[in-house]
């Protein structure tokens, strides 16, 4: 199915400032991030000041203002995961991919992020990748996971 245009996302929502979050969610879901162009259009069409749209879009972690990589590696660094070595897991991602949290590799393949808790504390350290949850992670397991995402034909070996 083709990606809906910004115009079609705004359809039926114009001049309705209370639709801001829903519109931002739709843009994020369909485009992977919220561009400056989208922020300007949303501001104009919903009648929300530019700073208001920007504030909401930058406040919620569900929204990103920069394009994300094809694979988003999110390391939970909440307390339960932290005490089980989440910092080492995050450092593995940073070292292996050469980007800081919130950044995307130059080839557009990976974005590294961290979150405070995803509610699976007993399984930590936890890493999510494109909607899949990987539990009891350590640097070695993450290294293999990243390698398998780079070379999908080896992915089965990691999940086996
Ligand atoms: S602290 Fe990591 S899942 Fe809760």
């Amino acid at each position: 199915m083709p990606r809906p245009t910004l115009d079609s996302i705004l359809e039926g929502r114009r001049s309705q400032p209370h639709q801001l979050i829903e519109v931002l969610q739709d843009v994020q879901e369909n485009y992977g991030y919220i561009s400056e162009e989208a922020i300007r259009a949303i501001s104009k069409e919903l009648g929300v000041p530019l700073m208001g749209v920007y504030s909401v879009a930058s406040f919620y972690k569900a929204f990103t203002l920069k394009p994300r990589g094809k694979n988003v590696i999110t390391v939970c660094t909440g307390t339960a995961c932290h005490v089980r070595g989440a910092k080492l897991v995050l450092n593995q991602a940073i070292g292996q991919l050469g980007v800081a949290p919130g950044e995307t590799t130059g080839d557009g393949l990976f974005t590294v992020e961290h979150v405070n808790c995803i509610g699976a504390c007993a399984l930590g350290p936890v890493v999510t990748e494109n909607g899949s949850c990987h539990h009891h992670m350590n640097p070695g397991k993450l290294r293999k996971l990243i390698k398998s995402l780079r070379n999908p034909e080896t992915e089965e070996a990691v999940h086996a």
Side-chain angles (χ1 to χ4, degrees):
M1 204 165 78
R3 183 165 70 180
T5 62
L6 188 54
D7 232 29
S8 65
I9 289 173
L10 288 163
E11 194 65 46
R13 293 160 152 174
R14 290 188 165 84
S15 304
Q16 297 180 50
H18 64 278
Q19 290 281 333
L20 177 58
I21 299 267
E22 284 83 359
V23 168
L24 289 173
Q25 282 172 330
D26 285 352
V27 172
Q28 177 72 46
E29 190 180 313
N30 287 288
Y31 290 83
Y33 77 111
I34 300 163
S35 67
E36 190 182 326
E37 180 196 358
I39 287 178
R40 288 185 185 284
I42 291 166
S43 166
K44 185 174 165 222
E45 299 299 332
L46 295 190
V48 177
L50 201 54
M51 268 318 288
V53 179
Y54 180 78
S55 297
V56 172
S58 56
F59 178 79
Y60 291 103
K61 230 171 159 61
F63 302 136
T64 66
L65 303 178
K66 290 192 283 187
R68 282 173 156 164
K70 183 176 171 217
N71 303 290
V72 180
I73 304 287
T74 305
V75 180
C76 177
T77 52
T79 306
C81 289
H82 176 76
V83 298
R84 293 186 175 121
K87 180 92 174 144
L88 296 173
V89 177
L90 180 62
N91 285 343
Q92 173 64 35
I94 292 168
Q96 190 173 353
L97 296 171
V99 291
E103 292 182 349
T104 299
T105 55
D107 59 8
L109 270 182
F110 294 95
T111 297
V112 175
E113 295 183 340
H114 63 93
V115 290
N116 282 327
C117 181
I118 62 161
C121 307
L123 304 174
V126 174
V127 171
T128 63
E129 150 267 321
N130 306 324
S132 297
C133 184
H134 302 265
H135 53 86
H136 300 108
M137 289 300 277
N138 58 44
K141 282 167 88 173
L142 183 60
R143 183 180 54 74
K144 282 187 195 156
L145 174 64
I146 290 171
K147 213 171 148 193
S148 75
L149 291 168
R150 265 217 179 98
N151 307 297
E153 62 274 6
T154 62
E155 189 167 4
E156 271 177 39
V158 170
H159 291 291

